[in-house]
Amino acid sequence: MIERPDTAVSSVARNLEGYVGFANLPNQVYRKSVKRGFEFTLMVVGESGLGKSTLINSLFLTDLYSKDYPGPSQRIKKTVQVEQSKVLIKEGGVQLTLTIVDTPGFGDAVDNSNCWQPVINYIDSKFEDFLNAESRVNRRQMPDNRVHCCLYFIAPSGHGLKPLDIEFMKRLHDKVNVIPLIAKADTLTPEECQLFKKQIMKEIQEHKIKIYEFPDTEDDEDSKLIRKIKEKMPLAVVGSNVVIEVNGRKVRGRQYPWGVAEVENGEHCDFTVLRNMLIRTHMQDLKDVTNNVHYENYRSKKLAAVTCNGVDATKNKGQLTKSPLAQMEEERREHVMKMKKMETEMEQVFEMKVKEKKQKLKDSEAELERRHEQMKKNLEAQYKELEEKRRQFEEEKANWETKQRILEQQKLDASKTMEKNKKKGKIF
Amino acid sequence: MSEIVPPEVRPKPVVPAKPSHVAPHSSGPFVPSPQGTGGEGRGSALLGYIGIDTIIEQMRKKTMKTGFDFNIMVVGQSGLGKSTLVNTLFKSQVSRRTTSWSRDEKIPKTVEIKSVSHVIEEGGVKMKLTVIDTPGFGDQINNENCWEPISKYINEQYEKFLKEEVNIARKKRIPDTRVHCCLYFISPTGHSLRQLDIEFMKHLSRVVNIIPVIAKSDTLTLDEKTEFKQRVRKELEACGIECYPQKEFDEDMEDKSDNDKIREAMPFAVVGSDKEYQVNGKRVLGRKTAWGVVEVENPNHCEFSLLRDFMIRSHLQDLKEVTHNIHYETYRAKRLNDNGASGGNRKNTD
């Protein structure tokens, strides 16, 4: 951001000299939004039989689950399913597309390990859809199906959270706004309820679970209200759509032989608090937190995993907050390092090869020498042999010659004697 | 057995019949007539008063002196009000929570078996009551086989008793630690039984007397209650689970009709409380909410009094007998058969 030091940008409140008209801005926004309509997705999670469907019906004063279309609670599920039902409700010209996501089968099996996985998958898939829609070229229509709020129903045992509750909330608190509720709160007496709430809040803090927190406002009135709500967390609710007559008034409640538990009576349960908070005051805030916090978390995780290909995904988590320049610098450094490493590696390989070759040559030399030696030896041996043979031959020759001479001598002697004889003979 | 049994009611167990000339069946523990179970015996009428019916009084005196044992096991997820109910049933602080009070005890990682014994006395009769608690049942994320420790414990008690029984020199009165009754607490969802409930009851209904109760039933309105009960009964039937009182052990029409009434009302929807409040000038046990007081002993509010009368006032002895004569005998037969040696003979298992 380039700053021009001489003309500093100052937000000094200036008084207007006439009526400009931008005070009408909120109205324009309002009109536009009303035309567009609102969307809100609410997820309810809890074991079956905790009154989730009844509460939804009471909250929105409609029979989402009626006799003809029985809610998931009436159907027995073997595995956890995630079901969504959409309803369009209109009030005072404002139109709300309400999507209720229910999770029948949650926590109902004997073995409930990983029963939160289908829920997590669902939430992630909705984030993914939104991410894809956002990244498209044509973004005219971007339906917002992300889960804005998750109401988690806690069974009114009066003791504390169950291991399943803790596991689920730990896994989902950074994906969606979790609002824990104490279901069927008419089981508890006021004292038990207080103790139970305290116990739950203690456990939530112990396990560092981040439930939805109401934003602090500057307005004194509102902050008082918010503080009161915070003290009552988790809200203990009772649901009912049945209208009963009590002392001449018609109220929604549950009829017991010992009295009527009124749903909308603040002393009986915290239903009105929940309804006001969820619908009348904080619906937009829930959507904003989902958009700004949970969705952004998901998005950065997803994109970081995609861009740095080849690099380990766990390394990315630390780089999420760096600016692009720093990231590029890092990448360059990494690249250089990689190059260096490759170089040294290559050198090493080269050396090794050279050594090998030398060794081979040495070996062959030695081999040749050996052969040479051996051949020489052979030759010498042969030579000796031949010499031997020649000597023998010479000897034989010498022998034979002497023999021949002797023979000749004898022959000569013989002929001489014969001649003598012949001469003698002639006399006869 | 704390009241004098009027002469018309036949006490149990049934011992093989004596020949018919013995006096009418209505007094004494013997069923004399092989002809039938009701009606008059065919024997000759007594010419005077013998005094056989005083045997009941004698039995009563004996029992008062020796006292008797009762072992009850409570099973259910944590937070269903098991300990409170047991305290309410026996109107005293007998549960594990009172001996080791700690509201925020950590949920144990495996099912533990904790038993606490007390001796309570009423009207001269001493009862050694043992409450066996099972913390950790059904509380984990993965509850596979969480009934196994319980099943093992029950069988261990049978084994102990068997060992004592087959001893050559055995005690006059074998200490009875066998579980006579198991109260299974069903969570008041209002819809149906949970998978865990069905599994548990399937595995244990043949080994011990199970009495299912709907816990914390002040959550349910009257309509929801009847609907839920019906559905639970149907499911139990569909799975072939026989809870106490079992149909097959009904001995005669009277039994059957009594037990049928009980079976129709089961599972009992109970509320437990050990605090008293003032209602209409009387002090009652109850739970005080912002819209009224739930009276524990008011039959319009919950069925606690039904359960108590059933378990303690009419069927206490029967529970013990079914455990001894049927469940224990089954175990014993299996064990002795498995041991391989001449079947059924006494031998020193060591």
Side-chain angles (χ1 to χ4, degrees):
Chain A
M1 276 245 274
I2 310 166
E3 280 186 66
R4 291 148 93 214
D6 36 24
T7 56
V9 179
S10 59
S11 5
V12 167
R14 290 180 197 278
N15 286 329
L16 298 171
E17 272 121 43
Y19 176 68
V20 180
F22 61 79
N24 209 22
L25 203 55
N27 284 347
Q28 297 175 23
V29 175
Y30 169 78
R31 260 201 306 238
K32 265 235 167 87
S33 335
V34 168
K35 246 198 295 174
R36 225 191 359 230
F38 294 92
E39 292 167 317
F40 191 69
T41 306
L42 179 67
M43 175 180 261
V44 281
V45 186
E47 294 174 359
S48 81
L50 283 182
K52 304 188 289 285
S53 319
T54 317
L55 189 74
I56 300 291
N57 286 349
S58 324
L59 268 177
F60 296 101
L61 284 179
T62 58
D63 274 335
L64 236 59
Y65 300 121
S66 61
K67 284 265 181 309
D68 320 315
Y69 173 54
S73 48
Q74 307 292 335
R75 300 171 261 150
I76 305 181
K77 298 285 176 182
K78 287 286 168 193
T79 57
V80 184
Q81 319 264 325
V82 180
E83 293 185 354
Q84 81 178 26
S85 39
K86 266 194 166 57
V87 117
L88 186 65
I89 36 187
K90 266 197 168 129
E91 189 185 52
V94 179
Q95 167 171 300
L96 174 69
T97 312
L98 178 69
T99 312
I100 305 286
V101 182
D102 206 332
T103 52
F106 180 84
D108 283 338
V110 178
D111 182 358
N112 292 315
S113 333
N114 291 329
C115 63
W116 47 79
Q117 202 53 45
V119 177
I120 294 183
N121 291 345
Y122 179 84
I123 296 178
D124 278 344
S125 78
K126 291 298 165 200
F127 278 156
E128 174 121 8
D129 288 345
F130 194 77
L131 182 62
N132 288 339
E134 220 183 27
S135 327
R136 272 210 292 257
V137 174
N138 181 356
R139 295 197 294 190
R140 199 136 322 144
Q141 283 195 334
M142 264 202 319
D144 185 5
N145 283 327
R146 299 171 291 187
V147 180
H148 298 119
C149 173
C150 174
L151 294 178
Y152 187 75
F153 285 70
I154 301 173
S157 64
H159 292 321
L161 288 175
K162 289 206 257 209
L164 179 62
D165 301 338
I166 297 175
E167 269 305 310
F168 180 86
M169 287 203 275
K170 270 216 283 225
R171 283 166 197 273
L172 261 90
H173 64 161
D174 48 11
K175 287 194 187 283
V176 73
N177 299 318
V178 175
I179 300 183
L181 299 174
I182 300 178
K184 293 200 169 173
D186 49 354
T187 326
L188 303 165
T189 64
E191 304 91 40
E192 289 169 355
C193 202
Q194 278 298 101
L195 275 170
F196 191 39
K197 283 188 186 183
K198 263 208 223 108
Q199 178 67 18
I200 292 182
M201 288 316 280
K202 199 165 79 134
E203 289 193 20
I204 285 183
Q205 269 159 17
E206 236 178 69
H207 293 270
K208 301 210 183 29
I209 296 173
K210 295 188 283 240
I211 56 177
Y212 174 69
E213 280 189 10
F214 300 91
D216 290 318
T217 57
E218 287 143 2
D219 197 354
D220 253 348
E221 269 269 349
D222 275 353
S223 64
K224 248 199 279 188
L225 221 69
I226 288 181
R227 232 177 305 134
K228 269 220 256 173
I229 298 179
K230 282 202 187 171
E231 276 172 31
K232 288 197 179 174
M233 291 285 278
L235 301 170
V237 292
V238 175
S240 169
N241 246 353
V242 177
V243 179
I244 302 172
E245 186 139 341
V246 170
N247 296 340
R249 321 174 275 138
K250 283 205 187 282
V251 286
R252 286 190 297 151
R254 289 172 63 74
Q255 170 87 358
Y256 292 113
W258 49 88
V260 175
E262 295 171 38
V263 165
E264 281 164 348
N265 186 334
E267 317 235 323
H268 290 191
C269 73
D270 300 328
F271 174 80
T272 33
V273 176
L274 174 70
R275 183 191 51 197
N276 292 346
M277 184 271 284
L278 196 58
I279 302 178
R280 293 182 191 173
T281 48
H282 287 85
M283 194 181 249
Q284 188 55 38
D285 185 62
L286 283 164
K287 289 176 74 167
D288 286 340
V289 172
T290 311
N291 191 27
N292 299 342
V293 178
H294 299 297
Y295 174 66
E296 286 303 314
N297 274 344
Y298 173 82
R299 185 171 171 277
S300 41
K301 268 191 220 159
K302 197 77 196 300
L303 295 182
V306 169
T307 49
C308 300
N309 45 0
V311 186
D312 196 13
T314 50
K315 263 216 249 167
N316 280 347
K317 295 214 171 113
Q319 298 174 348
L320 280 177
T321 48
K322 292 220 179 92
S323 72
L325 276 176
Q327 201 159 4
M328 273 168 60
E329 187 61 41
E330 273 241 11
E331 275 178 37
R332 200 180 61 84
R333 254 188 289 133
E334 265 185 53
H335 190 73
V336 166
M337 258 170 48
K338 222 166 46 162
M339 287 286 120
K340 271 218 195 94
K341 213 163 77 158
M342 278 169 75
E343 226 184 282
T344 47
E345 252 175 61
M346 273 164 68
E347 274 185 33
Q348 267 180 5
V349 170
F350 180 68
E351 271 193 43
M352 216 170 63
K353 284 227 171 98
V354 165
K355 248 206 294 202
E356 255 182 58
K357 202 71 189 232
K358 268 202 189 143
Q359 188 69 16
K360 246 205 222 151
L361 285 172
K362 253 204 237 156
D363 279 342
S364 59
E365 224 187 285
E367 178 81 23
L368 280 172
E369 279 226 30
R370 209 172 42 85
R371 289 243 295 260
H372 181 71
E373 285 285 334
Q374 210 171 32
M375 279 173 87
K376 236 171 65 175
K377 267 204 206 117
N378 273 354
L379 275 174
E380 281 197 9
Q382 274 187 8
Y383 188 69
K384 269 203 195 117
E385 234 182 270
L386 283 174
E387 280 287 334
E388 182 78 32
K389 278 202 181 136
R390 192 149 74 107
R391 211 177 32 84
Q392 268 182 7
F393 176 69
E394 294 282 332
E395 248 185 60
E396 270 188 48
K397 192 162 131 190
N399 275 352
W400 189 77
E401 278 193 3
T402 39
K403 268 202 195 130
Q404 283 291 101
R405 245 183 283 131
I406 291 172
L407 266 173
E408 281 224 20
Q409 200 62 4
Q410 275 184 352
K411 227 201 268 178
L412 219 78
D413 275 342
S415 75
K416 267 192 189 154
T417 43
M418 250 185 57
E419 261 193 42
K420 255 189 211 170
N421 284 350
K422 245 173 161 178
K423 270 178 182 177
K424 279 184 190 162
K426 277 190 169 166
I427 317 173
F428 343 40
Chain B
M1 295 261 273
S2 59
E3 54 193 55
I4 300 181
V5 177
E8 288 80 48
V9 175
R10 283 178 311 107
K12 304 179 222 170
V14 175
V15 170
K18 284 262 166 172
S20 56
H21 64 262
V22 173
H25 58 78
S26 49
S27 56
F30 297 130
V31 170
S33 162
Q35 277 177 321
T37 50
E40 302 165 65
R42 194 161 41 109
S44 44
L46 287 178
L47 299 171
Y49 174 67
I50 303 178
I52 300 178
D53 54 356
T54 55
I55 188 143
I56 297 193
E57 182 65 29
Q58 297 170 28
M59 281 174 78
R60 191 175 90 84
K61 277 219 199 104
K62 263 271 167 70
T63 316
M64 276 179 68
K65 263 202 260 165
T66 53
F68 61 108
D69 304 334
F70 190 65
N71 306 323
I72 175 172
M73 176 183 261
V74 280
V75 185
Q77 287 185 318
S78 83
L80 283 181
K82 306 187 290 285
S83 315
T84 317
L85 187 74
V86 172
N87 284 352
T88 324
L89 264 177
F90 296 101
K91 287 238 171 82
S92 45
Q93 305 288 325
V94 289
S95 75
R96 136 187 96 96
R97 278 282 151 97
T98 50
T99 53
S100 63
W101 176 261
S102 163
R103 192 98 223 220
D104 39 24
E105 250 170 40
K106 293 282 171 192
I107 296 179
K109 290 285 170 194
T110 55
V111 180
E112 300 174 348
I113 311 268
K114 293 208 175 123
S115 89
V116 174
S117 291
H118 295 261
V119 175
I120 51 184
E121 183 170 334
E122 188 186 51
V125 180
K126 281 207 239 352
M127 176 161 97
K128 178 159 172 278
L129 171 72
T130 309
V131 178
I132 302 154
D133 204 340
T134 54
F137 178 84
D139 286 332
Q140 307 308 319
I141 295 181
N142 183 353
N143 290 313
E144 293 269 308
N145 297 330
C146 60
W147 50 81
E148 266 176 21
I150 299 174
S151 177
K152 204 166 73 129
Y153 177 82
I154 295 176
N155 285 334
E156 268 170 23
Q157 308 312 308
Y158 286 153
E159 182 69 29
K160 249 196 255 180
F161 197 84
L162 180 65
K163 278 219 171 89
E164 280 296 330
E165 223 188 24
V166 301
N167 249 338
I168 295 177
R170 58 184 181 184
K171 303 199 189 111
K172 191 167 83 159
R173 198 167 156 261
I174 306 176
D176 191 2
T177 53
R178 299 170 296 187
V179 178
H180 299 127
C181 165
C182 175
L183 281 180
Y184 186 76
F185 285 70
I186 299 175
S187 183
T189 59
H191 294 314
S192 61
L193 281 178
R194 304 175 73 216
Q195 202 49 33
L196 181 61
D197 302 339
I198 298 181
E199 284 298 318
F200 177 85
M201 289 202 266
K202 258 205 210 147
H203 281 96
L204 272 117
S205 60
R206 301 244 157 250
V207 177
V208 72
N209 298 322
I210 296 189
I211 299 183
V213 291
I214 300 177
K216 292 201 170 173
S217 68
D218 51 348
T219 340
L220 302 166
T221 61
L222 286 173
D223 299 323
E224 291 168 356
K225 225 189 282 197
T226 29
E227 236 190 88
F228 186 43
K229 282 215 259 192
Q230 245 178 353
R231 231 174 287 161
V232 169
R233 270 201 300 271
K234 247 197 278 175
E235 275 196 33
L236 288 179
E237 229 182 274
C239 297
I241 297 172
E242 274 262 23
C243 301
Y244 180 84
Q246 292 95 337
K247 283 210 185 105
E248 41 196 352
F249 308 140
D250 281 341
E251 282 146 23
D252 58 13
M253 290 312 292
E254 203 186 314
D255 263 356
K256 193 160 161 358
S257 69
D258 278 344
N259 287 347
D260 268 347
K261 268 201 235 122
I262 307 257
R263 281 190 278 258
E264 278 305 298
M266 275 177 91
F268 295 113
V270 295
V271 176
S273 165
D274 37 14
K275 295 205 182 67
E276 289 191 343
Y277 294 98
Q278 193 92 344
V279 169
N280 294 341
K282 305 186 286 143
R283 287 201 66 80
V284 285
L285 276 180
R287 288 170 62 74
K288 188 171 178 138
T289 57
W291 48 91
V293 176
V294 187
E295 294 170 42
V296 166
E297 285 173 358
N298 184 337
N300 296 331
H301 288 194
C302 77
E303 292 165 359
F304 171 77
S305 32
L306 270 182
L307 173 71
R308 183 199 46 208
D309 293 342
F310 163 66
M311 240 180 70
I312 300 180
R313 293 183 192 173
S314 52
H315 284 70
L316 192 62
Q317 183 60 20
D318 191 51
L319 278 166
K320 291 180 59 153
E321 274 166 24
V322 172
T323 312
H324 179 71
N325 294 338
I326 294 166
H327 295 298
Y328 172 66
E329 287 300 314
T330 320
Y331 177 80
R332 182 172 172 278
K334 199 158 70 91
R335 271 296 259 125
L336 296 183
N337 262 338
D338 286 345
N339 270 345
S342 40
N345 283 350
R346 291 263 177 82
K347 71 189 243 332
N348 249 333
T349 53
D350 200 352

